Amino acid sequence: MVGAFLSRRRRAVVAAVFSAAIFSLIVFFFRDRNGILDGVEFSASYENSSGGMLKVFLTGDEKYRIFRPIAEFPEEFISSILVQEDRRFFHHNGVNIVSVFRAAFETYVRRSRVIGASTITMQTAKLRYKINSRSVGGKLAQILFSYRMEMRHSKQEILEAYLNLAPCGRNIEGFEAAARYFFGKGMPATSFDEQILLCVLPQNPVKRCPSKDSVPPELSEAMGRLSESVGGSVVVPNLVCAFPDEAIHYSRHLSMISSSRKIVRTTIDSAMQEIVSRQIVRYVNMRRTIGIKNACAVLLDSESMEIRAYCGSANFYDNSIRGQVDGNSSRRSPGSTLKPFIYALALDQGKIHSHTLLKDTPVAFSEYAPDNYGNDFKGPLKAYEALIQSRNVPAVALARSLSNPDLYGFLANSGVYLPHGRDFYGLSIVLGSADVSPLDLCRLYSAFLNDGIARDILGEEPVGERRILSAESAFVVRKMLCRNAAPDGYSEPPFETGFKTGTSIGFKDAWTAGFFGKYVLVVWIGNFDGVGNNAFLGRSAAAPLFFNIALELMERGFVKRFASRAEESGELNVKEIDVCSVSGAIPNGDCPSTEKAYFIPGVSPIEKCKVHRVVSVGGKKVLGEFWTSDLLELFELAGLPRDSPAAEFNDGKPPQILSPLSSTEYILDKKRASIVLNASADSDAGELFWFSGTEFLARSKPNEKVEWRPSSTGKREITVTDSRGRSSSRIISVSSIE
Ligand SMILES: [Zn+2]
């Protein structure tokens, strides 16, 4: 009874185990029909714009594996592989049972060396599923997996997996990685000799793997045998035996944006990349003593929006500067490098033209006290001068006048990442409180060359193409920036070069962003740990590196003359007009000299010069400068006093005329041929200017007596004006006794 139960139970167990086995087999053979290579990690690999390899990264399991589809392998290579490994590959069902038994006999009975018994399918199964085929169990698993592979996949798919997994020595797997490593080229470009070398590697990768200076005899012998079989003779080809190591930051940057099994063709121009990285290394080496240890730079072709060179730090492998950090995609305070956009917006909003006179004052704004390094101020100066001299006060004043958009709205509309709201930044956004990356600056500056349109940089996360400025303001600001003089010690470059420097608060970041030809270049100098250094000044630290790179690119013929599309097609609505070279306003006929300014018809402000006026002095016509009192004061504060009778403004108490007396007849003779002019005035009056009608008579200090000799007789209106423009007058009559 008990025995019968057990035996019934045993039968049930056997049946259950058997069913489970069948079920498992069915699942094994029929579940998830993924590609063979699904789940295999391939190296992220990046090529330059002409197909040369830049960088191959190790996989998570520390291998170099570069995927190439079978269709891209040379046919002769595939035939050689089949001759070498598995002549009947297209005719068997995955396993050659006779060979398996013979190999088993040799291995386990005669204990001789393992002989090649595996088909390409079996090798692929072993490689793909990491099977140890030396044990009996492993061998069985390999056979099962091979059958399954043949059931599920085409011969092409199996062969493709083999070509991409075959061990080729060291930690190199697959023939594409091997061709790149040994010969520095992709499979399609390999020669017959090179192909034969690759074909024989997987059979004994340890013994046959060559190095740059030594070729194992096993390798040359195997190559000789194979070349005889396929017909031909070979010599060992030239060996490179290294992966390239160019544009590492850029390759890593791209690998973070997206991952792909395929080799990524980048837009890097290796020659330009070499120039930029060499110039950075040289520059940093020369200035190490003043604390400049690190720099980054990115070069963009604004026409195609392709990145041509990208150095994220001075040395990727230098841990003392945290060289692996990619400065080009890190956001930092841009200092003054966003100021050109304030001027462009002010142009678009009709606040200025290129020569509008702006005030650089020592006045602090309530929201933010701007501080030009050095604490000096320049008095009144023209818009383009204020921009290229990076004056803070005019920039803040302009920024304050902007609306719809202001600088914040502009940056938000341009796709710049702004983690805080408008109020958080206030006017300090003008001086760099909103962080941007060199890549951001590249995209923004490209709008100066692309008629105001910011397009997406190829390969970067798309922001969306958008117009951020008018073609007109983009053009005018470009021309304004081109007037920025080269840094000390540099001659003017042969191609029009516009740039803007920037220094962040605390001297943490020195920037230069600019353009020459169709290229935009952004250069940054600083420390990745954020430690400031008073050598980190945009103009003296970053601009020379910008020029070193730009000048070499020009010398080497990469740069051509540039005109934007709107400029070329004549669609640009910008006029060059004459303006008063002193006031920057439209000349009034009395202005002594003029210069050319850029003007946007229908948008730019039209204001006639109010400074120049011809007055008669002593019967002669003399040109006077009549500044408004605020500008006049500013000139004086800036140490640039203008020789000027003030006018027009009448606020505060006017000077009181003490002499001549009102409504008095002055009779002059030979003894007494002059009239005394004297006035008292407020303490802020400055100098006093005396007129008879429009005729300038004299200047005096308050309470100072000066003599005036009238040249004719009659009724006169005597006026005294102080330097704040306040005046008073009285009428006298002059007669003489001869
Ligand atoms: Zn004028």
Side-chain angles (χ1 to χ4, degrees), residues 423-448:
D423 293 345
F424 175 88
Y425 301 102
L427 282 172
S428 70
I429 197 167
V430 174
L431 305 171
S433 66
D435 291 352
V436 298
S437 69
L439 280 172
D440 287 330
L441 279 180
C442 251
R443 197 169 53 82
L444 294 176
Y445 270 65
S446 74
F448 291 127

Short mmCIF file of all heavy atoms in Angstrom, two decimals, residues 423-448:
data_model
loop_
_atom_site.label_atom_id
_atom_site.label_comp_id
_atom_site.label_asym_id
_atom_site.label_seq_id
_atom_site.Cartn_x
_atom_site.Cartn_y
_atom_site.Cartn_z
N ASP A 423 12.21 88.41 -10.92
CA ASP A 423 12.52 89.25 -9.76
C ASP A 423 13.78 88.78 -9.03
O ASP A 423 14.46 89.57 -8.39
CB ASP A 423 11.35 89.26 -8.78
CG ASP A 423 10.16 89.98 -9.40
OD1 ASP A 423 10.37 90.69 -10.42
OD2 ASP A 423 9.04 89.82 -8.89
N PHE A 424 14.04 87.49 -9.11
CA PHE A 424 15.22 86.96 -8.44
C PHE A 424 16.48 87.63 -8.98
O PHE A 424 17.40 87.96 -8.23
CB PHE A 424 15.30 85.45 -8.65
CG PHE A 424 16.55 84.82 -8.10
CD1 PHE A 424 16.61 84.38 -6.79
CD2 PHE A 424 17.69 84.68 -8.89
CE1 PHE A 424 17.76 83.81 -6.27
CE2 PHE A 424 18.85 84.11 -8.39
CZ PHE A 424 18.87 83.67 -7.07
N TYR A 425 16.51 87.84 -10.29
CA TYR A 425 17.72 88.39 -10.91
C TYR A 425 17.76 89.91 -10.85
O TYR A 425 18.81 90.49 -10.64
CB TYR A 425 17.82 87.94 -12.37
CG TYR A 425 17.87 86.44 -12.53
CD1 TYR A 425 16.75 85.71 -12.91
CD2 TYR A 425 19.06 85.75 -12.28
CE1 TYR A 425 16.81 84.34 -13.05
CE2 TYR A 425 19.12 84.37 -12.42
CZ TYR A 425 17.99 83.67 -12.80
OH TYR A 425 18.04 82.31 -12.93
N GLY A 426 16.61 90.55 -11.08
CA GLY A 426 16.60 92.02 -11.13
C GLY A 426 17.56 92.50 -12.19
O GLY A 426 17.79 91.84 -13.20
N LEU A 427 18.15 93.68 -11.96
CA LEU A 427 19.06 94.24 -12.96
C LEU A 427 20.44 93.59 -12.92
O LEU A 427 21.25 93.79 -13.81
CB LEU A 427 19.19 95.75 -12.75
CG LEU A 427 18.00 96.55 -13.29
CD1 LEU A 427 18.11 98.00 -12.88
CD2 LEU A 427 17.90 96.44 -14.81
N SER A 428 20.70 92.78 -11.88
CA SER A 428 22.01 92.13 -11.82
C SER A 428 22.16 91.13 -12.96
O SER A 428 23.27 90.69 -13.26
CB SER A 428 22.19 91.43 -10.47
OG SER A 428 21.35 90.31 -10.39
N ILE A 429 21.06 90.79 -13.62
CA ILE A 429 21.14 89.88 -14.79
C ILE A 429 22.02 90.51 -15.88
O ILE A 429 22.66 89.81 -16.66
CB ILE A 429 19.71 89.57 -15.31
CG1 ILE A 429 19.74 88.33 -16.21
CG2 ILE A 429 19.10 90.76 -16.04
CD1 ILE A 429 18.36 87.77 -16.50
N VAL A 430 22.07 91.85 -15.89
CA VAL A 430 22.88 92.57 -16.88
C VAL A 430 24.36 92.23 -16.70
O VAL A 430 25.12 92.17 -17.65
CB VAL A 430 22.68 94.09 -16.70
CG1 VAL A 430 23.62 94.86 -17.60
CG2 VAL A 430 21.24 94.45 -16.96
N LEU A 431 24.76 92.01 -15.44
CA LEU A 431 26.18 91.82 -15.16
C LEU A 431 26.50 90.36 -14.90
O LEU A 431 27.54 90.03 -14.36
CB LEU A 431 26.57 92.68 -13.96
CG LEU A 431 26.21 94.15 -14.19
CD1 LEU A 431 26.40 94.96 -12.94
CD2 LEU A 431 27.03 94.75 -15.33
N GLY A 432 25.57 89.48 -15.28
CA GLY A 432 25.95 88.07 -15.29
C GLY A 432 25.40 87.22 -14.16
O GLY A 432 25.99 86.20 -13.82
N SER A 433 24.26 87.59 -13.57
CA SER A 433 23.75 86.75 -12.49
C SER A 433 22.99 85.53 -13.01
O SER A 433 22.71 84.60 -12.25
CB SER A 433 22.86 87.55 -11.55
OG SER A 433 21.69 87.96 -12.23
N ALA A 434 22.67 85.50 -14.30
CA ALA A 434 22.01 84.31 -14.86
C ALA A 434 23.09 83.45 -15.53
O ALA A 434 23.74 83.88 -16.47
CB ALA A 434 20.96 84.70 -15.89
N ASP A 435 23.30 82.25 -15.01
CA ASP A 435 24.39 81.41 -15.50
C ASP A 435 24.10 80.87 -16.91
O ASP A 435 22.97 80.49 -17.20
CB ASP A 435 24.61 80.22 -14.56
CG ASP A 435 25.19 80.67 -13.23
OD1 ASP A 435 25.54 81.86 -13.11
OD2 ASP A 435 25.29 79.83 -12.32
N VAL A 436 25.13 80.83 -17.72
CA VAL A 436 25.01 80.23 -19.05
C VAL A 436 26.26 79.37 -19.29
O VAL A 436 27.28 79.54 -18.64
CB VAL A 436 24.89 81.27 -20.19
CG1 VAL A 436 23.65 82.11 -20.04
CG2 VAL A 436 26.13 82.16 -20.25
N SER A 437 26.15 78.45 -20.23
CA SER A 437 27.30 77.61 -20.58
C SER A 437 27.95 78.17 -21.84
O SER A 437 27.31 78.92 -22.60
CB SER A 437 26.84 76.18 -20.84
OG SER A 437 26.07 76.14 -22.03
N PRO A 438 29.20 77.82 -22.10
CA PRO A 438 29.81 78.22 -23.37
C PRO A 438 28.97 77.78 -24.58
O PRO A 438 28.88 78.50 -25.57
CB PRO A 438 31.17 77.52 -23.34
CG PRO A 438 31.52 77.48 -21.88
CD PRO A 438 30.20 77.20 -21.19
N LEU A 439 28.32 76.61 -24.48
CA LEU A 439 27.46 76.18 -25.58
C LEU A 439 26.27 77.13 -25.76
O LEU A 439 25.89 77.45 -26.88
CB LEU A 439 26.95 74.75 -25.33
CG LEU A 439 27.93 73.64 -25.66
CD1 LEU A 439 27.39 72.29 -25.20
CD2 LEU A 439 28.23 73.59 -27.16
N ASP A 440 25.70 77.59 -24.63
CA ASP A 440 24.61 78.57 -24.71
C ASP A 440 25.09 79.83 -25.42
O ASP A 440 24.43 80.35 -26.32
CB ASP A 440 24.16 79.01 -23.30
CG ASP A 440 23.36 77.93 -22.57
OD1 ASP A 440 22.69 77.14 -23.25
OD2 ASP A 440 23.43 77.89 -21.32
N LEU A 441 26.28 80.32 -25.00
CA LEU A 441 26.80 81.55 -25.59
C LEU A 441 27.06 81.39 -27.08
O LEU A 441 26.80 82.27 -27.88
CB LEU A 441 28.10 81.98 -24.90
CG LEU A 441 27.95 82.72 -23.57
CD1 LEU A 441 29.33 83.08 -23.02
CD2 LEU A 441 27.12 83.99 -23.74
N CYS A 442 27.56 80.21 -27.45
CA CYS A 442 27.79 79.91 -28.87
C CYS A 442 26.50 80.06 -29.67
O CYS A 442 26.48 80.66 -30.73
CB CYS A 442 28.26 78.47 -29.01
SG CYS A 442 29.97 78.34 -29.46
N ARG A 443 25.44 79.47 -29.14
CA ARG A 443 24.17 79.50 -29.86
C ARG A 443 23.65 80.93 -29.93
O ARG A 443 23.19 81.40 -30.97
CB ARG A 443 23.16 78.58 -29.18
CG ARG A 443 21.97 78.22 -30.05
CD ARG A 443 21.16 77.10 -29.41
NE ARG A 443 20.80 77.42 -28.04
CZ ARG A 443 19.77 78.19 -27.70
NH1 ARG A 443 18.98 78.68 -28.64
NH2 ARG A 443 19.52 78.46 -26.44
N LEU A 444 23.73 81.67 -28.81
CA LEU A 444 23.23 83.05 -28.79
C LEU A 444 24.05 83.92 -29.75
O LEU A 444 23.49 84.68 -30.53
CB LEU A 444 23.29 83.63 -27.38
CG LEU A 444 22.37 82.98 -26.34
CD1 LEU A 444 22.61 83.58 -24.96
CD2 LEU A 444 20.91 83.16 -26.74
N TYR A 445 25.38 83.80 -29.71
CA TYR A 445 26.22 84.63 -30.57
C TYR A 445 26.06 84.27 -32.05
O TYR A 445 26.29 85.12 -32.91
CB TYR A 445 27.69 84.53 -30.15
CG TYR A 445 28.09 85.56 -29.12
CD1 TYR A 445 27.53 85.53 -27.85
CD2 TYR A 445 28.99 86.58 -29.41
CE1 TYR A 445 27.86 86.47 -26.90
CE2 TYR A 445 29.33 87.53 -28.47
CZ TYR A 445 28.77 87.48 -27.21
OH TYR A 445 29.11 88.42 -26.27
N SER A 446 25.68 83.02 -32.33
CA SER A 446 25.49 82.66 -33.74
C SER A 446 24.39 83.51 -34.37
O SER A 446 24.36 83.71 -35.58
CB SER A 446 25.17 81.17 -33.88
OG SER A 446 23.85 80.90 -33.45
N ALA A 447 23.47 84.04 -33.54
CA ALA A 447 22.39 84.87 -34.07
C ALA A 447 22.94 86.16 -34.69
O ALA A 447 22.33 86.72 -35.60
CB ALA A 447 21.38 85.21 -32.97
N PHE A 448 24.11 86.63 -34.23
CA PHE A 448 24.70 87.82 -34.84
C PHE A 448 25.14 87.56 -36.27
O PHE A 448 25.22 88.47 -37.08
CB PHE A 448 25.91 88.30 -34.03
CG PHE A 448 25.54 88.87 -32.68
CD1 PHE A 448 26.14 88.42 -31.53
CD2 PHE A 448 24.58 89.87 -32.58
CE1 PHE A 448 25.80 88.94 -30.28
CE2 PHE A 448 24.22 90.40 -31.35
CZ PHE A 448 24.83 89.93 -30.20
#
